Amino acid sequence: MPGRKLYGTVIVTYRCNARCNMCNCYLYPTKASEEITLDDIKKLPEMKFVNVTGGEPFVRQDLPEIVAVLAEKSDRVVISTNGYFTSRILDLCRRFPKVGIRISIEGLEKTNDAIRGIPDGFNRGYGTLKMLVEMKHPDVGFGMTIQDMNAEDLIPLYRLSAELNMEFATGTLHNSFYFKKTDNKIVNRLKVAQNIEKLINELLESNSPKKWFRAYFNHGLINYIYGQPRLLPCGMSNDAFFIDPYCDVIPCNGMAEKAVMGNLHNQSWDEIWHSEQANRVRERVRKCDRNCWMIGSASPAMHKHIWRPALWIIKHKGLKGGHYSLTENDFIAQQPRNT
């Protein structure tokens, strides 16, 4: 629908059946009785894109009803899941054939199961993906949070996704109130960056413009891992928002401490979005120095400042013949080689 510009993320629960090493969300689960309701979700604004996440969103029995409301409000709905609840996922996709599904897979079988802490988690998640492909669901993919433990699985996983014609999303470790973590850290930055470099070059070598833009996003991951300023301005709280299971509207999930613009259970959307409290939060965001590079904030920025990634793509697809090298980044050359 013309005029839809906002990017939204709805965190429907903090309950989770996974025990991921990079997220302690499962230690602080919400109670089903206190989570955002369907009536609350109906108060959300119209959006260009909405991601449904958790915790594990498929623990909610009313997720299909939530998706039905969001599908009316948003041009595109994507659900992030660990893929464990196969029958629930397949049933939902039969009902909503346009909904996107992104299953978190953190490496090949041994690595994934060690990181995510779900017995037989790789086979459950990958099995769900294959079933979705077999039923010809049009928007299927998996995502990987890159860290020391799984960096060497990055290219094999990407190639697996390419063979199955799936989307392949990436991220890296962050610390924040959302993840309930302060000790996430990449120790061997060079090794991790070298594997991301390989991915960037495979993406650039493809014939898909969408993959070229993903190459730029992964360039931003290297930039973040080495502690550099964001490649693009952060527009969270203006162009995008999150809402958590308690109905608190927040700018993002990357801050050290939660910044609340308002509560949708007690207020209307307009009362929150145009409030003085929201403006105070926006000022905090403008001064934020965390330099996060997560898809929730990077994607809206890439769309808003599309000429920046476009010029980077032209440079690397044209002038550099589809090649990217870590040596282009001066800050990497200045780092000790064992970090």
Side-chain angles (χ1 to χ4, degrees), residues 37-255:
T37 68
L38 202 60
D39 286 338
D40 298 322
I41 289 169
K42 288 176 180 177
K43 296 167 70 176
L44 285 169
E46 292 193 342
M47 294 163 279
K48 181 180 180 66
F49 171 87
V50 63
N51 175 236
V52 180
T53 189
E56 170 48 52
F58 279 93
V59 302
R60 286 201 55 156
Q61 299 293 331
D62 62 346
L63 187 61
E65 288 70 36
I66 291 172
V67 171
V69 173
L70 292 175
E72 292 293 323
K73 289 181 170 288
S74 180
D75 295 340
R76 186 165 176 239
V77 180
V78 173
I79 304 173
S80 299
T81 171
N82 59 42
Y84 190 83
F85 298 101
T86 304
S87 60
R88 297 182 193 179
I89 295 169
L90 297 180
D91 288 346
L92 185 139
C93 288
R94 292 186 187 102
R95 179 174 171 184
F96 303 100
K98 293 183 179 180
V99 72
I101 298 292
R102 294 294 177 272
I103 294 179
S104 298
I105 295 182
E106 306 302 344
L108 301 177
E109 184 174 355
K110 183 178 179 181
T111 306
N112 175 83
D113 292 358
I115 289 174
R116 296 200 70 83
I118 305 177
D120 204 33
F122 177 86
N123 290 324
R124 290 292 292 260
Y126 183 57
T128 302
L129 282 170
K130 288 198 294 184
M131 291 180 195
L132 288 168
V133 171
E134 288 167 3
M135 63 186 274
K136 294 182 169 46
H137 193 71
D139 193 351
V140 182
F142 56 89
M144 175 181 181
T145 302
I146 308 166
Q147 54 179 290
D148 291 278
M149 283 180 65
N150 64 7
E152 293 178 354
D153 287 359
L154 178 59
I155 296 302
L157 275 186
Y158 166 69
R159 290 175 179 169
L160 184 63
S161 74
E163 288 173 9
L164 295 172
N165 197 29
M166 291 183 188
E167 301 288 330
F168 184 68
T170 50
T172 192
L173 300 178
H174 287 75
N175 293 301
S176 76
F177 76 91
Y178 171 76
F179 299 108
K180 309 294 185 185
K181 292 281 284 186
T182 59
D183 60 351
N184 280 328
K185 181 181 180 181
I186 289 176
V187 177
N188 193 333
R189 291 185 293 182
L190 181 62
K191 182 187 80 169
V192 173
Q194 286 172 333
N195 281 280
I196 298 175
E197 175 190 45
K198 293 175 186 177
L199 175 64
I200 290 171
N201 281 310
E202 296 222 4
L203 292 167
L204 287 171
E205 288 168 7
S206 78
N207 295 319
S208 166
K210 191 170 186 178
K211 289 187 177 182
W212 304 342
F213 280 92
R214 286 211 182 99
Y216 177 84
F217 174 79
N218 281 278
H219 164 58
L221 288 181
I222 293 174
N223 188 71
Y224 169 75
I225 287 168
Y226 275 86
Q228 299 301 300
R230 281 175 60 103
L231 296 179
L232 299 171
C234 178
M236 302 305 286
S237 75
N238 287 297
D239 305 321
F241 69 91
F242 280 61
I243 184 167
D244 75 2
Y246 303 105
C247 287
D248 285 336
V249 177
I250 56 181
C252 67
N253 63 340
M255 288 182 154

Side-chain angles (χ1 to χ4, degrees), residues 310-322:
L311 287 175
W312 183 91
I313 291 166
I314 291 169
K315 174 183 175 182
H316 290 87
K317 285 293 290 182
L319 298 178
K320 292 184 176 291

